[in-house]
Amino acid sequence: DVLLHDKTGTITVGDRQATEFRAVGGHSAAQLAEAALLASLADETPEGRSIVVLARESFGRTADLPAGAEIIAFTAQTRISGIRIGGSVIQKGAVDSILRANPGAGTTAAAAALRRITDEVARAGGTPLAVAQDGELLGAIFLKDIVKAGIRERFGELRAMGIRTVMITGDNPLT
């Protein structure tokens, strides 16, 4: 009488899309978008490409990979990706990973604001990504899951049969 199911790829198409930039620490959404764009230029995932598109559409930001830039590749261990340009480092990734990688930023007012924003994103069913530049938190990116067509109706049919559906996801503990 209960169906447990995963979220990503099961009830969603599996490609999260960036829908909003939420800045913290006195930074503007445009500054956050610019940093997120640079950190995502080499990111070929659907999420990374959607960040580039959102930055371009929302703020008219355009950029090419700067000469001499070093790409920070995403790994399952770090859960962070980004870019090094000269002496500057821009990182984007899971909130807890960004806070761990930038220990001085974790106790700031910006960190408290970031946690509040990321909790709001998670409560809305989204996935938050944090962005930091040179150890300073800039804000979060709201990634929204795209629900597969017909899923709501299918779950309605299951409920009508007396089957309760429960979503299980590994995105973050709150979601």
Side-chain angles (χ1 to χ4, degrees):
D1 62 349
V2 176
L3 171 66
L4 303 175
H5 58 87
D6 185 41
K7 178 182 67 160
T8 306
T10 303
I11 66 168
T12 65
V13 295
D15 296 342
R16 294 173 290 203
Q17 306 243 320
T19 59
E20 187 178 355
F21 295 108
R22 295 190 182 181
V24 298
H27 297 284
S28 69
Q31 289 171 311
L32 171 59
E34 185 169 341
L37 169 69
L38 288 168
S40 300
L41 285 172
D43 184 346
E44 290 299 320
T45 65
E47 293 87 354
R49 288 191 305 268
S50 76
I51 292 167
V52 171
V53 168
L54 182 62
R56 288 180 175 159
E57 289 177 354
S58 298
F59 297 98
R61 299 288 192 222
T62 59
D64 293 319
L65 204 55
E70 179 187 342
I71 303 305
I72 302 168
F74 176 86
T75 68
Q77 292 76 25
T78 64
R79 297 172 51 212
I80 293 174
S81 63
I83 191 168
R84 281 188 186 85
I85 308 168
S88 186
V89 177
I90 303 171
Q91 302 164 303
K92 74 168 196 273
V95 176
D96 59 333
S97 297
I98 292 292
L99 290 172
R100 237 187 336 273
N102 299 280
T107 57
T108 64
L114 180 69
R115 285 187 186 96
R116 188 186 78 257
I117 288 169
T118 57
D119 283 352
E120 289 170 6
V121 169
R123 279 192 192 94
T127 301
L129 288 182
V131 178
Q133 183 169 1
D134 300 327
E136 189 174 342
L137 299 173
L138 302 182
I141 304 164
F142 188 134
L143 296 178
K144 184 176 182 180
D145 285 298
I146 309 302
V147 176
K148 287 182 179 178
I151 287 292
R152 293 187 203 295
E153 294 79 11
R154 288 183 195 153
F155 285 171
E157 292 169 5
L158 289 169
R159 280 190 297 277
M161 294 170 28
I163 299 172
R164 182 173 156 237
T165 59
V166 178
M167 178 183 71
I168 301 171
T169 182
D171 284 351
N172 63 55
L174 185 59
T175 307

